[in-house]
Amino acid sequence: MANPLYDTMFGRYSGAQTVFLQMPDGRTVTHDAFQRQAARYAHVMSAAGLNPGDRLAVQIAKSPENLAVYAACVQSGIIFLPLNTAYTPAEVEYFVSNSGAKLVLCDSSAEALLAPIAATNDAALMTLDANGSGSFTKKAEGQPETFVTVDRNADDLAAFLYTSGTTGRSKGAMLTQANLLSNAEALRDYWKFTDKDILLNALPIFHTHGLFVATNITLLAGGSMLFLPKFDMDAVIAALPRATSMMGVPTFYTRLLDDPRFDRDLVKGMRLFISGSAPLLAETHRLFEERTGHRILERYGMTETNMNTSNPYDGDRRAGTVGYPLPGVDLKVTDPDTGEELAPGEIGMIEVRGPNVFKGYWQMPEKTKEELRENGFFITGDLGLMDADGYVQIVGRGKDLIISGGFNVYPKEIELLIDALPGVKESAVIGAPHSDFGESVVAVLVPEADTTLETSCIADALRETLAGFKQPRCYAVVEELPRNTMGKVQKSTLREQFAHVFKGA
Ligand code: MLC
Ligand code: AMP
């Protein structure tokens, strides 16, 4: 095959008048129109001097046009690098310079702020707004509606997704065509997606979940998506009766349960609700079944590996578990110190291997070596066990990570920024249970001697550099941080101490 990902997901729809995307305002996009738009975009990229293997960074709203940029990248062998729309220019600067992106696409409202960043990094800058307009669109007008698909091998890179690290620096996870395709095929079959499916997609499309899991599977199955720009409760309630399936983070499901309009009748046409990206409480699973008659299917994945495990479609979907390893995925639980495989039921580090596992971190061979073993097993940083029936449970994290509403927040990144502020001696950032986001960010600060810290000044300083979802929602000032005999900050003690700060939030 000339370009396995393009041919199986996009190219085969050439000329097809079937609906791919249904927008909340009633607008529809056929596969054929989508293809033609992607081809025009591919011509613009090529005219801008981008070659196969170059990176294109996008920080634009979720829209059909955004997805068409993804398709155009796949068709022309350009590496697609989507960025969270919440990132500040300071954050974007790092991704552009680290990836060496040749073209940055942004919303016109961000153009003035990103222009110097693009210029410093020798990248072109074009705009593409939520309504489809912008300088990129202008250049696409009148371009040919077909593009000669660039040959790619299964092992060639298709996308970079940045994932933060415990050292505070984001790492570009390099995903190949085969990573994305093999996982989408496995999931389509496991979850029985067909061309009859209408998937409600209210997820952002700058992460694995909304982009690769939701979109790639729909394309492979030949189905369509109710493509909501974001999780807006009224829009979700309005769309649900037309959907056959939905994917979401646990916050979507707890919010739905809080809405009295969400009932059995509203979802009578649904066949499947899937949850992932963060732990789904067993309580949510139970309440959801009581309300709707549906047992949510929970699965487990990550940026570096796509999806690893899933509860069964036909069998028992067990609350508090993430199911079985997917076909083709080897999963073992190991002793975090020795790497030795543990017996069923014992808690240890989850490691996975398979065609889904990424190629490594962009220009970080040392980091890659630390996490990706020579035998192909990736050390996930998640602690868990496999029970006697083969179900995997995630019981904690070996990595210092907070997951807030499905977004990952790495404490180190925030601590480094806080520690550099005047008056701060040191800090520890932790996650505390939050009724809406699952976990939310708490910053515990130690002032310099004889200094009074104004936490509002700290919050103001962080607002300039950090995306909103990473900003602490609670600050506490203490005299000193708890440490063990080795001098290491004991975050578990802090987590216990601050476990109740968001109670009732
Ligand atoms: C938004 N805000 C958040 C937040 N999302 N704060 C903490 N955590 C979050 N997740 C803040 C904004 O900064 C803003 O703050 C305020 O909330 C309102 O912003 P909003 O955009 O209107 O919020 P809302 O629409 O309510 O968004 C919440 C959400 C969204 C849960 C719908 O975060 C979301 O769609 N999450 C999904 C994330 C996801 O797709 N993860 C998949 C990762 S892939 P202020 O201060 O300005 O008011 C992965 C692999 C795998 O993990 O296994 O899938
Ligand atoms: P990311 O880096 O955004 O891809 O986040 C991946 C992390 O999300 C994993 O390493 C897990 O810690 C977490 N995660 C994903 N799915 C689940 C799940 N179903 N239950 C618990 N944690 C999950």
Side-chain angles (χ1 to χ4, degrees):
M1 229 181 252
N3 182 324
L5 196 58
Y6 183 80
D7 297 341
T8 45
M9 282 196 339
F10 303 107
R12 71 186 173 109
Y13 293 112
S14 202
Q17 297 305 326
T18 43
V19 171
F20 171 36
L21 302 173
Q22 307 181 40
M23 307 306 290
D25 61 6
R27 191 164 52 109
T28 58
V29 179
T30 63
H31 280 105
D32 182 60
F34 183 79
Q35 293 305 308
R36 287 186 279 117
Q37 189 168 40
R40 284 196 297 266
Y41 288 176
H43 282 288
V44 179
M45 296 171 193
S46 161
L50 271 76
N51 292 310
D54 286 342
R55 275 75 60 204
L56 190 164
V58 300
Q59 192 190 34
I60 54 177
K62 181 177 178 184
S63 64
E65 290 78 11
N66 187 335
L67 268 192
V69 174
Y70 166 52
C73 283
V74 177
Q75 187 170 22
S76 48
I78 291 164
I79 299 172
F80 186 64
L81 195 176
L83 294 171
N84 193 323
T85 45
Y87 287 149
T88 62
E91 290 167 313
V92 172
E93 156 106 73
Y94 172 79
F95 300 118
V96 173
S97 77
N98 183 269
S99 67
K102 280 239 179 98
L103 172 62
V104 180
L105 280 185
C106 70
D107 192 272
S108 51
S109 61
E111 190 178 13
L113 288 169
L114 296 186
I117 293 170
T120 316
N121 289 286
D122 261 343
L125 183 72
M126 296 183 204
T127 61
L128 182 51
D129 291 352
N131 64 7
S133 66
S135 60
F136 184 73
T137 314
K138 278 228 146 27
K139 286 189 198 298
E141 280 165 15
Q143 293 286 351
E145 297 198 326
T146 55
F147 184 85
V148 178
T149 304
V150 172
D151 282 347
R152 292 276 91 185
N153 289 318
D155 199 35
D156 284 328
L157 298 180
F160 275 13
L161 258 61
Y162 274 78
T163 157
S164 288
T166 40
T167 51
R169 298 202 69 200
S170 278
K171 301 166 287 185
M174 299 188 287
L175 294 154
T176 66
Q177 287 223 340
N179 293 151
L180 303 182
L181 191 53
S182 65
N183 206 239
E185 284 173 341
L187 295 173
R188 174 200 56 194
D189 298 344
Y190 210 71
W191 295 337
K192 301 201 167 138
F193 271 82
T194 69
D195 58 0
K196 304 279 179 302
D197 264 295
I198 304 172
L199 175 74
L200 198 166
N201 181 344
L203 289 154
I205 54 167
F206 44 70
H207 277 312
T208 300
H209 198 161
L211 183 63
F212 300 141
V213 187
T215 306
N216 288 0
I217 293 175
T218 303
L219 281 160
L220 277 185
S224 66
M225 284 193 284
L226 290 162
F227 203 60
L228 308 191
K230 60 179 293 209
F231 186 88
D232 171 79
M233 185 56 81
D234 291 342
V236 171
I237 295 282
L240 273 168
R242 289 186 288 137
T244 62
S245 44
M246 174 173 174
M247 294 181 190
V249 296
T251 300
F252 287 14
Y253 295 118
T254 50
R255 285 189 183 181
L256 280 169
L257 285 171
D258 282 341
D259 194 304
R261 293 171 294 176
F262 183 65
D263 61 16
R264 220 169 255 257
D265 196 43
L266 193 76
V267 300
K268 59 176 189 277
M270 287 294 266
R271 69 170 185 93
L272 184 60
F273 289 95
I274 300 172
S275 177
S277 308
L280 183 79
L281 295 179
E283 173 77 349
T284 309
H285 201 273
R286 187 181 62 74
L287 290 173
F288 200 90
E289 186 176 11
E290 254 173 45
R291 180 86 69 89
T292 64
H294 283 276
R295 285 177 77 77
I296 297 177
L297 183 155
E298 186 172 5
R299 70 11 170 224
Y300 156 62
M302 55 196 305
T303 304
E304 289 92 334
T305 64
N306 297 282
M307 299 305 102
N308 297 312
T309 72
S310 170
N311 268 280
Y313 185 81
D314 290 317
D316 187 12
R317 298 178 194 165
R318 292 194 189 162
T321 83
V322 292
Y324 304 116
L326 285 166
V329 176
D330 294 331
L331 183 147
K332 61 181 181 179
V333 178
T334 59
D335 181 318
D337 297 324
T338 64
E340 289 297 314
E341 187 163 359
L342 298 173
E346 289 190 303
I347 296 172
M349 178 63 69
I350 296 177
E351 298 191 23
V352 292
R353 178 171 69 182
N356 53 318
V357 175
F358 76 143
K359 208 170 178 174
Y361 296 114
W362 170 247
Q363 292 183 336
M364 290 189 183
E366 289 309 314
K367 282 271 149 224
T368 303
K369 228 170 146 180
E370 275 170 32
E371 297 179 31
L372 191 56
R373 294 188 193 278
E374 267 173 22
N375 63 8
F377 273 96
F378 177 69
I379 305 168
T380 61
D382 292 309
L383 300 176
L385 61 86
M386 189 185 276
D387 70 18
D389 297 336
Y391 281 76
V392 176
Q393 285 173 35
I394 298 173
V395 299
R397 294 181 202 131
K399 52 193 171 190
D400 194 12
L401 162 69
I402 301 165
I403 304 184
S404 170
F407 286 142
N408 286 10
V409 180
Y410 280 86
K412 192 75 191 168
E413 181 185 2
I414 306 169
E415 288 161 1
L416 288 172
L417 289 171
I418 295 179
D419 292 352
L421 294 173
V424 179
K425 183 172 167 213
E426 60 175 348
S427 64
V429 169
I430 54 165
H434 189 278
S435 58
D436 185 29
F437 291 131
E439 282 181 292
S440 197
V441 183
V442 177
V444 185
L445 316 171
V446 180
E448 300 268 23
D450 305 321
T451 307
T452 309
L453 271 184
E454 285 297 337
T455 55
S456 60
C457 297
I458 307 273
D460 288 345
L462 292 186
R463 209 163 289 128
E464 282 171 29
T465 43
L466 267 188
F469 69 90
K470 298 181 195 169
Q471 285 165 29
R473 291 188 167 236
C474 171
Y475 289 89
V477 180
V478 298
E479 274 176 21
E480 59 179 357
L481 297 174
R483 289 182 191 277
N484 65 13
T485 47
M486 309 290 286
K488 191 171 182 292
V489 175
Q490 287 185 297
K491 289 207 166 174
S492 52
T493 308
L494 288 174
R495 278 193 284 268
E496 275 167 35
Q497 197 178 336
F498 293 98
H500 301 292
V501 288
F502 297 119
K503 225 173 171 186

